[in-house]
Amino acid sequence: MCVKMMFVCRRIGLETGGKPVAIFNRKDAEDMGIRGLSRVKITYREKCVTAIVNLSEKMIPVGCVGISEEVVKKLKIKDGAKVNVEVAKFPSSLEYIKKKIKGRKLSYEEIFEIVKDVVEGNLTDMEIASFVIALETRGLDIEEAANMSLAMVETGEKLELRKKKIVDKHSIGGAIGDKTSLVAVPIIAAAGLTIPKTSSRAITSAAGTADRAEVLMPVELDVEEMREVVEKTNGCLIWGGALHLAPADDVFIQVEYPLSIDPLLLPSIMAKKKAVGSKFLVIDIPTGRGTKVKTIGDATLLAKDFMMIGKKLGMKVECAITEGENPIGRSIGPALEAKEALEVIMNRQNVPELVDKACHLAGILMEMVGMKNGYKKALRILKKGKAEKKLREIIEAQGGDPQILPEDIKIGKYWTDFVADRDGYILWMNGPNLVRIARAAGAPKYKGSGVLLFKKVGDRVKKGEPIFRAFSEHSRKLRDVKKLFEEELIVGIGDRREMLISHVKEEVEHKKTFILER
């Protein structure tokens, strides 16, 4: 028999991460036969919502139900209104999660139900975590990954464009100071291709593409605003988090990050590209020490998986395995990287690795749609100033200042140098520790904070000479930076043929680097 009771609503002024939550006095809960994390259906004026149950001894009086802001929004209800509450069944998606925990393959319909319930807030954090952990331990085959991508697309918004050759690029992350998109996207758009580039903010790095682009222009546009920019300029540089494209991924990331796992790397990337209508996609896979993918062999296997999923989704996918051990350019941090990219696109300075990578990725996309000599064409667009012109068009269309110059970009006014303790050559740089220093200085939250390299691997250095400078917008943060200077192995200096990297004299704490950027 279904238990149904009338309750008076109490707005508790609490947002619960997208999940509709109802809080009951324990006595009422006992009368209804419900407990914490049970589900109830709340009905108000023919509108209803399923909410997750929480319990309270004193916070909620008998006869009342506390409702989260998510419930208020869905029911459009006022404080003190009366609602009908009845016990609801647990979501069927829980049975499918249990199925995956047991190692069984899921169908598209089962995956869709799970993703839909994640987006609608019908699953608790514990239930979502169980699913993510099951994916990590049991794995997804290619068909499941493709179905996961489709489910993510169908439960979010989509971008519809009146364009034919829609292309895109994406990096799986891990390369230090990778401001490639700021150069490659204008090149691609200037070549006549359409590239609706959505990007992430930094999660574990010093700057995501959206953080860098935001130094030059607003990036929090909605789908309609994004469409207008792309229709006008052929390209954009937008923060994907404001678009509700594949919104389930934002929920999954909250579980993946603290656990240092990333089982949804492939489907989440492909979902977001499918959602903007991409037909041709190049995936950048940075490879080497300090990146997600350590060897060329592993990178090749990952590339194969991306291409197979792309085929199932009706997309042509090619992959670029790129060098990821050393910083790209000399800047790490949003403002420093945006400034360096702007200087390169204006042909004010040459950063060989940045130019080479941007032109290779742009060139691959050009050749995928039938153009010849893609790399040379991309380089010519850059050198003739067409990429700069296109970038300024995009900046203006997104609400930025199209006349912005590198010297207009503000860098943190507080700084400290890391200097060489001996003569020699830079044998290696610890990329993850450089990122830690940039983040300790305040990046990416404070965009003017970061690291500027004076020397790179292979350069000669003299004792006392600065190797890099850490900038911060707040002087107090430099204390944390200097502490890292003392505690961490950051740079190796020695003879060109020196074989000893480090001498470990005592047990040290191992700090595993986890990179989660989508």
Side-chain angles (χ1 to χ4, degrees):
M1 186 175 76
C2 180
V3 178
K4 183 183 292 187
M5 295 176 63
M6 183 80 74
F7 287 89
V8 176
C9 281
R10 285 279 185 90
R11 283 186 67 171
I12 56 177
L14 181 67
E15 294 186 5
T16 49
K19 300 172 181 61
V21 169
I23 305 176
F24 293 88
N25 185 283
R26 285 189 181 276
K27 186 179 183 305
D28 287 330
E30 289 171 3
D31 290 344
M32 292 192 71
I34 56 177
R35 62 175 64 185
L37 304 185
S38 294
R39 268 65 169 185
V40 293
K41 185 167 76 171
I42 304 175
T43 304
Y44 175 71
R45 293 182 178 176
E46 300 183 351
K47 292 182 179 180
C48 65
V49 63
T50 299
I52 298 168
V53 173
N54 278 218
L55 304 180
S56 171
E57 292 281 2
K58 299 178 180 179
M59 179 180 174
I60 304 298
V62 172
C64 294
V65 55
I67 54 174
S68 67
E69 291 302 299
E70 286 79 358
V71 176
V72 174
K73 184 178 179 181
K74 290 187 177 183
L75 295 182
K76 293 182 171 57
I77 193 169
K78 294 182 179 180
D79 195 42
K82 292 182 178 180
V83 295
N84 280 310
V85 178
E86 60 185 290
V87 179
K89 293 180 180 179
F90 281 91
S92 58
S93 58
L94 285 177
E95 292 302 316
Y96 308 144
I97 291 174
K98 293 176 187 177
K99 183 176 176 180
K100 191 61 187 178
I101 290 171
K102 294 175 182 178
R104 295 164 62 189
K105 183 174 179 177
L106 300 180
S107 66
Y108 170 74
E109 290 75 18
E110 291 167 334
I111 290 172
F112 179 83
E113 280 299 312
I114 294 171
V115 174
K116 178 175 71 68
D117 281 341
V118 167
V119 172
E120 293 180 354
N122 294 334
L123 296 175
T124 66
D125 291 340
M126 181 175 64
E127 291 158 355
I128 296 169
S130 297
F131 178 58
V132 172
I133 293 169
L135 296 180
E136 175 72 12
T137 56
R138 299 295 188 175
L140 297 89
D141 64 20
I142 294 299
E143 185 176 358
E144 285 179 306
N147 285 337
M148 179 67 74
S149 294
L150 288 173
M152 286 182 170
V153 172
E154 291 303 315
T155 52
E157 294 191 48
K158 301 185 201 60
L159 178 69
E160 304 289 344
L161 293 170
R162 298 187 299 272
K163 300 280 187 176
K164 292 183 179 180
K165 294 181 179 179
I166 301 175
V167 305
D168 213 338
K169 71 161 286 287
H170 189 87
S171 172
I172 69 166
I176 310 300
D178 193 356
K179 67 281 295 178
T180 307
S181 289
L182 293 184
V183 179
V185 169
I187 292 174
I188 295 162
L193 305 180
T194 300
I195 178 163
K197 182 76 178 80
T198 62
S199 305
S200 63
R201 293 193 183 278
I203 301 173
T204 54
S205 70
T209 295
D211 300 309
R212 303 173 186 110
E214 195 170 39
V215 175
L216 305 175
M217 64 194 114
V219 297
E220 294 191 17
L221 278 64
D222 61 27
V223 171
E224 186 55 40
E225 291 169 330
M226 178 184 182
R227 182 185 294 109
E228 291 177 6
V229 172
V230 176
E231 295 283 2
K232 184 176 182 179
T233 69
N234 272 355
C236 67
L237 287 155
I238 305 291
W239 176 48
L243 298 170
H244 304 291
L245 303 172
D249 188 49
D250 297 327
V251 181
F252 290 135
I253 283 174
Q254 294 176 18
V255 176
E256 293 173 316
Y257 174 52
L259 296 175
S260 296
I261 57 176
D262 195 6
L264 288 159
L265 173 70
L266 277 77
S268 70
I269 289 173
M270 298 303 291
K272 289 175 179 176
K273 300 310 172 186
K274 180 76 174 175
V276 297
S278 298
K279 300 295 183 183
F280 304 89
L281 173 64
V282 60
I283 299 288
D284 171 26
I285 307 177
T287 305
R289 293 169 297 179
T291 65
K292 289 181 180 180
V293 184
K294 312 301 180 188
T295 69
I296 294 174
D298 287 342
T300 303
L301 292 174
L302 181 60
K304 181 181 177 182
D305 288 344
F306 270 118
M307 290 187 285
M308 290 175 67
I309 294 175
K311 189 174 182 180
K312 287 184 175 292
L313 297 177
M315 300 164 65
K316 173 66 175 174
V317 178
E318 294 185 8
C319 297
I321 299 173
T322 58
E323 196 279 315
E325 289 191 6
N326 297 300
I328 298 172
R330 296 181 178 272
S331 58
I332 304 169
L336 288 165
E337 293 185 48
K339 182 177 182 180
E340 186 174 41
L342 189 56
E343 288 173 341
V344 166
I345 212 165
M346 292 176 68
N347 292 301
R348 283 193 179 185
Q349 71 158 306
N350 181 34
V351 181
E353 62 270 32
L354 176 57
V355 171
D356 188 62
K357 184 171 182 176
C359 289
H360 270 300
L361 293 174
I364 289 171
L365 279 172
M366 291 178 197
E367 292 180 2
M368 287 174 71
V369 301
M371 298 181 182
K372 295 182 179 180
N373 301 316
Y375 180 87
K376 291 183 179 179
K377 185 176 182 66
L379 187 60
R380 189 161 56 249
I381 288 171
L382 177 62
K383 295 302 181 185
K384 288 191 174 183
K386 294 181 179 179
E388 181 193 350
K389 181 181 178 183
K390 179 58 66 175
L391 175 62
R392 295 191 182 282
E393 288 177 8
I394 293 171
I395 290 172
E396 183 174 26
Q398 289 187 206
D401 177 9
Q403 304 301 320
I404 189 170
L405 297 173
E407 51 267 31
D408 298 327
I409 297 173
K410 294 182 179 180
I411 308 301
K413 63 180 180 179
Y414 303 101
W415 55 269
T416 184
D417 285 344
F418 180 88
V419 300
D421 60 1
R422 57 179 292 191
D423 292 349
Y425 293 89
I426 305 295
L427 301 179
W428 52 265
M429 285 185 159
N430 188 315
N433 278 344
L434 287 173
V435 169
R436 290 184 67 202
I437 289 166
R439 289 180 69 93
K445 180 179 180 180
Y446 300 106
K447 289 185 167 54
S449 301
V451 169
L452 181 65
L453 303 175
F454 299 128
K455 302 288 183 179
K456 298 190 73 174
V457 173
D459 289 346
R460 184 166 182 80
V461 66
K462 295 180 180 180
K463 183 177 180 179
E465 190 176 5
I467 297 174
F468 65 83
R469 178 169 294 172
F471 290 90
S472 181
E473 294 184 17
H474 302 280
S475 60
R476 56 183 170 78
K477 287 190 171 291
L478 292 183
R479 291 197 298 268
D480 296 330
V481 169
K482 291 175 181 177
K483 187 176 180 182
L484 287 174
F485 286 178
E486 297 170 358
E487 295 178 349
E488 303 295 341
L489 288 172
I490 303 169
V491 176
I493 302 173
D495 183 76
R496 284 184 186 274
R497 299 180 59 83
E498 195 166 303
M499 296 301 294
L500 181 66
I501 294 175
S502 176
H503 179 193
V504 181
K505 298 180 181 180
E506 57 187 40
E507 185 177 340
V508 294
E509 180 184 354
H510 175 63
K511 296 184 179 71
K512 181 180 178 181
T513 300
F514 175 63
I515 302 163
L516 179 57
E517 310 295 344
R518 295 227 254 268

